[in-house]
Amino acid sequence: MILGISGGGRANGQTSMLIGAILEASGMESELISLAGKSISGCRGCLYCGTHPGDCCYKDDWNLISEKMKQATAIVFGAPTYSGNINALSHACIERTYSLRHSTYFLRDKPAVVVSPNEPGNPAELYIERMLKQNGMKLIATVSGCCNMAPCWHCGEGHKCTYGHVPKPENGKLLDHIPEETIPKGFKGSTEAQQKAREAGLRLREALA
């Protein structure tokens, strides 16, 4: 079973769409878990996992996820970049994988795919890659930079915001509306994103064949 974990703040956001498409393209048994709404604490540094390999002393939503990670044949982990770094919920989830490699590497040699809707080389992508490698996993594909949808396109005030990513006219005056042609199409409107997802799914299938 391939386990997809989406760390995006919205359960049906761009990260979830990308992961879902990868899982579907693999054609294999899979499950997609969204971290949205989950309660996951960061590592407490208690070292309980040193004498209880694969187990964490703190009980929250992480424990069920960790069991599914141990049972999975491959993992697709995705997260967005928030405020210049991987979002906090995804960071906490990956941080807790320390319990899966302290004394015993439970995820060693499992194929892994990294997903991030932001531009290639973004902090979320780099952090996920580094941490999955620390767990001894085999990184077979990275899908990123193809369907970033900044908050400005969702909050409803993007055309008035002087800080956000919505393009501003040369005269610097605030916009009356967001021009339709400037709005990103997201995963559903991006043939590039869909193609990258299909390719990653096929590579995952090959790795598990």
Side-chain angles (χ1 to χ4, degrees):
M1 186 272 292
I2 303 173
L3 178 65
I5 302 175
S6 174
R10 293 176 294 124
N12 298 312
Q14 301 301 309
T15 306
S16 291
M17 291 182 192
L18 269 172
I19 296 175
I22 292 171
L23 298 180
E24 182 178 359
S26 76
M28 305 186 76
E29 180 185 359
S30 62
E31 179 181 357
L32 175 58
I33 295 177
S34 171
L35 301 186
K38 298 286 194 302
S39 176
I40 302 176
S41 172
C43 176
R44 297 189 168 194
C46 68
L47 303 182
Y48 176 86
C49 54
T51 53
H52 300 76
D55 194 13
C56 181
C57 73
Y58 191 73
K59 306 305 177 185
D60 56 12
D61 290 334
W62 155 255
N63 301 97
L64 175 60
I65 295 172
S66 68
E67 287 304 313
K68 289 181 178 292
M69 292 180 79
K70 286 188 284 187
Q71 295 168 12
T73 55
I75 294 174
V76 181
F77 196 105
T81 290
Y82 285 178
S83 300
N85 210 336
I86 185 173
N87 66 318
L89 190 57
S90 298
H91 190 287
C93 183
I94 297 180
E95 188 175 87
R96 292 277 287 281
T97 62
Y98 181 68
S99 64
L100 300 181
R101 67 178 184 275
H102 191 186
S103 301
T104 303
Y105 277 72
F106 284 89
L107 305 182
R108 187 188 296 278
D109 294 330
K110 291 188 180 187
V113 174
V114 175
V115 173
S116 182
N118 303 91
E119 69 284 351
N122 70 79
E125 173 193 314
L126 297 179
Y127 182 73
I128 299 169
E129 286 182 348
R130 178 163 59 88
M131 294 304 292
L132 295 186
K133 288 178 181 178
Q134 282 191 14
N135 277 283
M137 304 187 73
K138 294 180 177 178
L139 182 60
I140 63 169
T142 295
V143 179
S144 63
C146 48
C147 57
N148 183 28
M149 292 285 284
C152 306
W153 309 110
H154 305 289
C155 79
E157 296 297 317
H159 62 295
K160 302 176 183 177
C161 181
T162 58
Y163 172 78
H165 300 285
V166 176
K168 303 297 187 296
E170 293 183 2
N171 60 17
K173 293 183 179 180
L174 297 178
L175 301 175
D176 295 325
H177 67 284
I178 299 177
E180 182 70 26
E181 65 273 11
T182 68
I183 300 177
K185 303 306 179 183
F187 177 77
K188 292 183 178 179
S190 172
T191 55
E192 178 189 4
Q194 294 168 22
Q195 180 60 28
K196 285 185 176 181
R198 283 193 293 270
E199 291 174 355
L202 292 175
R203 291 183 65 180
L204 196 54
R205 182 181 181 87
E206 291 174 359
L208 293 172

